[in-house]
Amino acid sequence: MKDLNGKTIIVTGGGGGIGGATSRRFAAEGAKVAVFDMNLAGAQKVADEIQAAGGSAAAFECNITDRTQVDAAVAAAEAQLGPIDVLVNNAGWDIFKPFTKTVPAEWDKLIAINLTGALHMHHAVLPGMVARGGGRIVNIASDAARGGSSGEAVYAACKGGLVALSKTLAREHARHNITVNVVCPGPTDTALLAGFAEGASNPDKLMDAFKKAIPLGRLGQPDDLAGAIVFLSSGDASFITGQVLSVSGGLTMHG
């Protein structure tokens, strides 16, 4: 894809399924990848895989809910890899309960990771992009934000907030040549989905129901998301901003 060779990319949650696949895809395009994760061992594993394949990557421990850690990790990434050209806000967390069964402490954690953490990352990275006259941001939300999802009320609210934030920042920073777009995964074969299935009375039946509901007949794989994320970060998407793309195998077909 255009204009990614030599660029510096931050991927939060980069040690996980979608984040790891996205980090590897950026590296394959010639980018330098800062793999951010609160699990440093997971981030380091991804960075090591990229380096073993001939790419450029470094791991950085970062709890995105802690602004001090965010600022330190961004500064360290820029010192090692160069100014940030692309930010991918991928880190997230969920629990699966009916809303009335949740408690405020769970809301606080969901909001801190899924919304406030992304606010921290934007606030830390955007000033540099503005000063340099350009950048790309891709936020990973969820189709729960677009159509709702039983058992994910607070998560859906956070992701809906992330969609609204993205559209607003796209308007505010278009004049700075910064694009902000959103990718919404459908059911994807990750640890998050596995955790959801484990809480069901019949996990195999639940996963089979997911597959049957998806027109393309299978769960998403992390690599299915990576291509869309990298495209929106590239020069090929330079005239796309404020948009929301579902990658769900046709499960959702929002206009």
Side-chain angles (χ1 to χ4, degrees):
M1 295 184 189
K2 286 176 62 177
D3 301 331
L4 287 171
N5 188 50
K7 295 293 179 69
T8 301
I9 320 293
I10 289 177
V11 180
T12 68
I18 294 172
T22 300
S23 295
R24 288 187 288 270
R25 179 62 186 275
F26 272 119
E29 297 285 344
K32 298 174 289 183
V33 187
V35 185
F36 278 32
D37 206 295
M38 64 185 300
N39 176 3
L40 182 58
Q44 190 63 59
K45 182 175 184 293
V46 171
D48 288 345
E49 291 169 352
I50 289 171
Q51 291 167 2
S56 177
F60 300 89
E61 184 175 6
C62 184
N63 179 349
I64 61 171
T65 70
D66 183 330
R67 181 56 188 270
T68 300
Q69 282 198 34
V70 167
D71 288 342
V74 170
E78 293 197 320
Q80 185 167 343
L81 301 175
I84 306 306
D85 298 295
V86 177
L87 169 63
V88 178
N89 281 303
N90 167 72
W93 178 75
D94 198 8
I95 54 173
F96 301 89
K97 293 181 181 181
F99 175 65
T100 55
K101 302 296 184 182
T102 62
V103 296
E106 292 168 334
W107 309 344
D108 291 344
K109 184 175 179 180
L110 284 160
I111 294 167
I113 294 172
N114 296 300
L115 184 57
T116 307
L119 291 171
H120 287 321
M121 291 302 306
H122 284 91
H123 207 251
V125 169
L126 268 168
M129 290 183 172
V130 170
R132 292 186 294 275
R136 302 276 183 267
I137 298 174
V138 180
N139 291 317
I140 312 308
S142 169
D143 271 344
R146 308 187 80 183
S149 179
S150 297
E152 298 182 275
V154 181
Y155 177 81
C158 293
K159 294 301 189 178
L162 186 57
V163 169
L165 172 70
S166 301
K167 289 177 176 288
T168 300
L169 293 179
R171 292 185 181 278
E172 289 185 358
H173 292 288
R175 62 193 176 95
H176 301 124
N177 191 34
I178 297 169
T179 65
V180 187
N181 291 291
V182 182
V183 170
C184 288
T188 305
D189 188 10
T190 63
L192 191 65
L193 185 64
F196 172 53
E198 286 174 5
S201 58
N202 188 331
D204 291 339
K205 183 177 180 181
L206 177 66
M207 298 301 276
D208 187 56
F210 272 135
K211 293 173 186 176
K212 287 179 178 177
I214 295 169
L216 289 180
R218 64 174 177 84
L219 295 176
Q221 296 299 314
D223 283 336
D224 293 322
L225 278 298
I229 295 165
V230 173
F231 163 69
L232 288 171
S233 304
S234 75
D236 290 314
S238 62
F239 201 56
I240 300 173
T241 196
Q243 303 305 307
V244 182
L245 173 65
S246 291
V247 183
S248 62
L251 178 62
T252 51
M253 297 187 182
H254 299 286

